[in-house]
Amino acid sequence: MKIRPLLGVTVAAVLTLAACGGGDSSSDTTTAPAAEGVDLLAAGCPETVSLQTDWNPEAEHGNLYQLVGPGYTVDTAKLRVSGDLMAGGKTTGVKVEIRAGGPAIGYSQVTAELYKDPSILLGFTSTDEAVAHSGDEFPTVAVVAPFNINPQIIMWDPATYPDVKEIADLKEPGVKVRYFGGAAYMEYFTGTGILDKKQTDDTYDGAPASFLAAGGKDAQQGFGTAEPYFYEKVLKEWMKPVAYQYIHEAGWTAYAQSLGGIPSNIEKYDSCLKALVPVIQQAALDYLAAPETANALILDVVNQYNNGWVYDAGQAAAAVEKMQADQLIANSPDGTLGSFDLDRVTAFIDTALPVFTANGSKPKADLTAEEIVTNKYIDPSIKLG
């Protein structure tokens, strides 16, 4: 389960949109008729397309907030934002609802939310989560992969460890590596000898306090789209660079924040997904090209939620820059944005099965890539230039 830190600092997040809605869920929710273009209602989509994220609003979810039209409404009780679902600046005949995750859902896995509330059409279903649940009663199928590389990292102080260039280099000096308990990638690192079990510490709580207290002696998990900027530019107690490596580069190649659903919904909304998935693909392109409007929406929603999550315009802009600079959002080997590399998924299954079997999960022994991801709904013409 991806968990983002609740950072104990005060950061202004007050940028608002002139066209934003109010802070209650009783506002007018009449959907505009579909403009000439994509008609998702005619394609069989529900009147409200509900999308479940795994954390508070942030730039990593920008492709989803790109879908939300002006005049949106914010439910500050349930931590959801809804508005006309847009495609190319035109209405599509349905609403979109983006639900916050993390604390908003009691830190539950998105998979659990999909089964708890089948009205959620799609939610973030990482490949490792899909593998872990493939043999129990909670299977999922992912239909689009906005992120080609998982943003999750292990970071360290380059001034303290100038010779450390990658995660494996932390092993010999025995650097403590702090992480959230239950992270499957850490079991992979210790099981394959990349790190020693004795040097890992599963007490990370998302706050920077322990990293600061160690004065650079400890390493910890984070996100390449967030912590490097935050620690250098925002966190007054640090204000210097951190070094890092993506866990993807260290061998744990799961897709993160892929949008997937429960198999019955994928089957039920087959015609809808054929029309919707290309809209989501295009929204990712549009967001990278011009993220300002969606970022302003994200910041306004964060401000209205007022739940302890702090986020500012600098963090959002830096995240978009990092997504592109580090090719976290990139075309798949087939040249398409949002498609799954089935060979990569197959190889990951081979890597992950023994990890999940060892930790007590019950993944399907003969699992295939096609059972947990599909490119059926992908438009191959949508790609980064």
Side-chain angles (χ1 to χ4, degrees):
M1 178 174 65
K2 173 191 170 192
I3 299 183
R4 300 282 291 113
L6 283 170
L7 299 168
V9 296
T10 301
V11 181
V14 295
L15 183 60
T16 58
L17 287 173
C20 72
D24 65 71
S25 58
S26 61
S27 303
D28 178 34
T29 57
T30 303
T31 305
E36 184 177 354
V38 180
D39 189 338
L40 294 178
L41 191 62
C45 290
E47 293 183 358
T48 296
V49 173
S50 292
L51 305 174
Q52 178 68 61
T53 70
D54 59 358
W55 192 247
N56 293 294
E58 56 185 349
E60 289 88 339
H61 311 163
N63 61 311
L64 301 189
Y65 288 94
Q66 185 74 25
L67 300 170
V68 182
Y72 58 86
T73 61
V74 178
D75 185 334
T76 57
K78 295 181 178 179
L79 305 186
R80 301 172 185 177
V81 59
S82 61
D84 289 329
L85 197 159
M86 308 295 286
K90 299 179 179 179
T91 57
T92 60
V94 301
K95 292 278 189 182
V96 61
E97 174 189 66
I98 302 175
R99 303 184 180 192
I105 56 176
Y107 301 97
S108 170
Q109 283 191 334
V110 173
T111 296
E113 296 300 305
L114 293 174
Y115 275 90
K116 184 188 304 181
D117 184 357
S119 72
I120 303 171
L121 180 59
L122 299 172
F124 287 168
T125 53
S126 62
T127 314
D128 43 8
E129 191 173 320
V131 173
H133 290 295
S134 60
D136 59 26
E137 66 271 28
F138 303 115
T140 56
V141 179
V143 297
V144 60
F147 272 95
N148 189 53
I149 294 177
N150 186 344
Q152 196 162 41
I153 59 172
I154 298 296
M155 68 183 215
W156 58 89
D157 178 21
T160 303
Y161 301 107
D163 296 329
V164 172
K165 306 302 180 185
E166 57 185 33
I167 294 169
D169 295 336
L170 297 167
K171 180 179 179 178
E172 191 277 331
V175 180
K176 179 184 289 187
V177 182
R178 194 173 289 104
Y179 71 102
F180 274 106
Y185 72 83
M186 191 59 74
E187 296 178 50
Y188 166 73
F189 288 163
T190 57
T192 56
I194 294 173
L195 296 174
D196 282 332
K197 180 74 173 177
K198 63 184 179 181
Q199 75 181 117
T200 63
D201 180 344
D202 67 356
T203 63
Y204 182 54
D205 61 1
S210 294
F211 189 86
L212 295 172
K217 293 182 179 180
D218 297 348
Q220 74 179 26
Q221 76 168 64
F223 290 82
T225 48
E227 272 74 11
Y229 175 88
F230 177 79
Y231 274 70
E232 182 176 2
K233 304 293 186 182
V234 180
L235 186 60
K236 293 181 178 179
E237 296 88 345
W238 189 258
M239 299 300 284
K240 54 185 177 180
V242 295
Y244 62 91
Q245 185 185 29
Y246 290 102
I247 65 172
H248 175 95
E249 297 170 334
W252 192 254
T253 58
Y255 284 94
Q257 295 187 0
S258 303
L259 284 168
I262 61 177
S264 59
N265 267 351
I266 300 302
E267 180 180 358
K268 178 179 178 180
Y269 292 106
D270 179 72
S271 62
C272 165
L273 294 171
K274 290 176 182 176
L276 176 62
V277 168
V279 170
I280 294 173
Q281 289 176 268
Q282 186 62 46
L285 283 181
D286 295 344
Y287 176 67
L288 291 181
E292 294 80 13
T293 298
N295 280 352
L297 189 159
I298 288 169
L299 295 175
D300 177 49
V301 171
V302 167
N303 187 50
Q304 291 200 50
Y305 286 172
N306 192 29
N307 69 335
W309 171 244
V310 290
Y311 203 66
D312 71 0
Q315 290 171 278
V320 175
E321 181 180 349
K322 184 63 69 172
M323 291 174 204
Q324 298 178 82
D326 289 0
Q327 297 186 318
L328 306 180
I329 298 179
N331 295 330
S332 291
D334 66 2
T336 302
L337 180 67
S339 65
F340 295 94
D341 179 351
L342 296 181
D343 289 339
R344 169 179 157 185
V345 176
T346 297
F348 177 76
I349 290 172
D350 291 340
T351 297
L353 281 178
V355 172
F356 287 119
T357 300
N359 74 9
S361 299
K362 297 180 180 179
K364 186 178 179 183
D366 56 351
L367 183 66
T368 65
E370 291 81 0
E371 291 177 275
I372 58 174
V373 303
T374 180
N375 291 324
K376 176 181 180 180
Y377 307 109
I378 294 291
D379 182 343
S381 71
I382 299 176
K383 58 190 69 179
L384 283 168

